[in-house]
Amino acid sequence: MSKVSSQNLLGKSTFYLPHHCVTNSSSQTTKLRVVFDGSSKSSSGYALNDILLVGPTVQQDLFSIVLRARKHPILLTGDIAKMYRQVLLHNQQRSLQLILWRPSPSLDIQTYQLNTVTYGTASASYLATRCLRELANQCSQHNPKISKIIADDFYVDDLCTGGCTIEEVKNIKLQVTRVLQTGGFELRKFHSNAPEVVNNDVHNANVQFGETSESKTLGLYWDTSNDSLKYSINWSANNTITKRSILSCIPKIFDPLGLIAPIITPAKIIIQRLWQSQLSWDESVPLSILTEWRLFYNQLKDLDELTIPRNVLVSDFVVVELHGFSDASELAYGACVYLRAVDSSDECHISLLCPKTRVAPLKTITIPRLELCGAVLLSELVGKVIDSLQLSIFKARY
């Protein structure tokens, strides 16, 4: 940021961003972050975000990136340091990012303008990720493989990619780092299931996929030491069980691949029954729902013991097939996709890739029609998996 005087702001559209600090003692690098509120209304009645376009999504979704991470024998993750702050704003637009600040209470309040993309503004995510996409475009001619990794394997500022050999992944790490440096982006905090890839960086670590917000109490992690996926539960008990408390808990469950769908589906059914009961927000729930909820809640901690092998694809595969299944009941319907790989020794390796479930509609529907809904869900899921894996699939049976 840079200090500006009132004379320099004459004739310009201006907006003052409210800001405050947020501390996170568990963060490895940034214990304190500054949060800016671009949605706060100004004296004109408009907020900065009211006049900004959000911009399109230029990266793949988290499901595709995490699913593709399961095919690499050697996985590499990392993130870009302070990604938004590496992208400069045009000088004519900086007056819309003003803040009031003083280094000490004894000094006068001064006006500063933020010169880079600021987290909390509607267009921030697009502006930063579009710059990343531009770097991919610039190297597409002389290094198409690295260009594709930058374009497809980043989720905002998090890299999740890999390869078949240590040397291949080392080269990916080096080349991606070099390309990002040309745009002022520093790639750091590398993790891998192969210690040789990350050198002096941390090897034994739990890397959380996608949602890192503290509001998410159940999340998917990658344990680099044994190369497995696991779930971490951080759920505090609530003595008062109401419609509000139950509905506030379920969205905190973050499962991008749906691997624990059979466990989460009963919770979705409980929510559906809550809406049917037409309770007020803070009214005690019926005994039947209370019993089901406590049973679900008490068993959820057992997920801490669940481990799922991350890698589903052998390095010397000859044939890869997808096998899908779907079924339905009166309460819910679902689908799941398995990957079957045959290696050079003619041995078969079968792994669950991803399930997907949905609760049956409140309006009574026949079982055959629900089974048809499950078949449609499976068809959509198989198509999504094929697009995400970016593999030569020999057959898809479902």
Side-chain angles (χ1 to χ4, degrees):
M1 66 182 184
S2 56
K3 186 187 296 186
V4 292
S5 64
S6 56
Q7 294 293 329
N8 293 334
L9 298 176
L10 291 176
K12 294 183 178 179
S13 297
T14 60
F15 184 84
Y16 286 83
L17 284 165
H19 56 93
H20 64 276
C21 67
V22 173
T23 57
N24 181 9
S25 57
S26 62
S27 175
Q28 296 180 9
T29 53
T30 310
K31 303 293 183 182
L32 184 146
R33 294 181 183 273
V34 183
V35 177
F36 299 90
D37 186 5
S39 297
S40 177
K41 301 292 184 182
S42 68
S43 57
S44 65
Y46 292 95
L48 176 60
N49 286 343
D50 293 337
I51 62 172
L52 289 177
L53 294 177
V54 176
T57 300
V58 295
Q59 292 180 324
Q60 294 195 12
D61 58 21
L62 186 62
F63 173 88
S64 300
I65 294 173
V66 177
L67 184 67
R68 192 160 53 248
R70 300 193 69 191
K71 78 174 185 178
H72 301 299
I74 299 175
L75 185 64
L76 174 69
T77 65
D79 72 47
I80 300 173
K82 301 178 179 63
M83 179 184 183
Y84 288 6
R85 289 304 187 193
Q86 313 313 314
V87 182
L88 285 171
L89 286 181
H90 194 282
N91 188 53
Q92 294 180 354
Q93 305 296 319
R94 295 176 186 178
S95 61
L96 293 171
Q97 292 191 163
L98 300 177
I99 67 167
L100 300 176
W101 180 251
R102 57 182 177 185
S104 169
S106 61
L107 300 177
D108 294 334
I109 294 177
Q110 302 289 337
T111 298
Y112 293 83
Q113 65 181 12
L114 304 177
N115 301 325
T116 58
V117 169
T118 300
Y119 184 81
T121 56
S123 58
S125 179
Y126 169 73
L127 293 174
T129 54
R130 179 61 182 85
C131 288
L132 206 59
R133 175 56 68 96
E134 183 62 24
L135 290 176
N137 295 339
Q138 290 178 4
C139 70
S140 60
Q141 295 297 323
H142 64 274
N143 203 337
K145 179 181 178 180
I146 298 301
S147 173
K148 186 170 180 59
I149 289 174
I150 296 175
D152 293 349
D153 291 348
F154 268 97
Y155 184 72
V156 191
D157 60 345
D158 292 324
L159 171 67
C160 186
T161 188
C164 294
T165 66
I166 291 177
E167 289 304 317
E168 179 188 2
V169 178
K170 276 186 173 180
N171 183 63
I172 289 173
K173 175 186 173 185
L174 178 63
Q175 295 296 327
V176 172
T177 301
R178 286 179 176 174
V179 172
L180 295 188
Q181 284 176 344
T182 63
F185 294 122
E186 177 196 354
L187 198 57
R188 59 171 186 174
K189 293 168 65 175
F190 293 105
H191 296 96
S192 176
N193 55 307
E196 301 89 339
V197 172
V198 294
N199 296 327
N200 295 326
D201 291 316
V202 178
H203 166 57
N204 295 325
N206 292 327
V207 181
Q208 187 170 10
F209 286 114
E211 297 285 347
T212 56
S213 170
E214 292 181 352
S215 65
K216 301 293 180 182
T217 54
L218 189 157
L220 177 65
Y221 288 80
W222 170 44
D223 187 346
T224 60
S225 58
N226 57 23
D227 197 19
S228 64
L229 302 177
K230 66 178 188 178
Y231 291 84
S232 177
I233 311 300
N234 180 24
W235 213 331
S236 58
N238 192 338
N239 295 326
T240 305
I241 307 301
T242 63
K243 178 180 176 180
R244 185 188 303 275
S245 64
I246 293 177
L247 292 181
S248 66
C249 287
I250 301 303
K252 295 177 181 178
I253 299 174
F254 181 68
D255 182 29
L257 292 182
L259 294 173
I260 56 173
I263 300 170
I264 305 304
T265 300
K268 295 180 179 179
I269 295 174
I270 291 174
I271 289 179
Q272 190 180 60
R273 291 181 59 191
L274 277 174
W275 287 113
Q276 282 182 297
S277 62
Q278 296 183 340
L279 298 172
S280 62
W281 284 103
D282 297 309
E283 184 179 351
S284 297
V285 300
L287 181 60
S288 59
I289 295 180
L290 178 63
T291 303
E292 290 183 32
W293 173 253
R294 283 182 172 169
L295 179 63
F296 167 79
Y297 182 88
N298 293 332
Q299 292 179 341
L300 202 59
K301 63 180 184 298
D302 295 335
L303 283 176
D304 281 337
E305 307 300 323
L306 177 66
T307 59
I308 302 170
R310 177 198 60 81
N311 186 28
V312 298
L313 191 63
V314 291
S315 57
D316 60 340
F317 70 90
V318 178
V319 176
V320 176
E321 297 178 354
L322 294 180
H323 292 252
F325 304 89
S326 66
D327 203 356
S329 71
E330 294 178 351
L331 299 177
Y333 59 92
C336 60
V337 177
Y338 288 82
L339 184 141
R340 179 181 182 269
V342 181
D343 61 21
S344 55
S345 303
D346 206 30
E347 291 187 13
C348 294
H349 305 264
I350 301 175
S351 303
L352 174 66
L353 277 180
C354 56
K356 193 169 186 178
T357 61
R358 286 181 181 166
V359 178
L362 291 174
K363 182 181 178 181
T364 303
I365 297 179
T366 62
I367 294 296
R369 185 162 184 84
L370 286 171
E371 289 178 341
L372 180 60
C373 292
V376 172
L377 182 65
L378 174 60
S379 178
E380 295 172 348
L381 185 59
V382 169
K384 181 69 174 177
V385 169
I386 292 175
D387 291 340
S388 302
L389 282 179
Q390 299 176 359
L391 279 173
S392 298
I393 306 297
F394 181 69
K395 288 181 181 179
R397 304 173 183 268
Y398 57 98

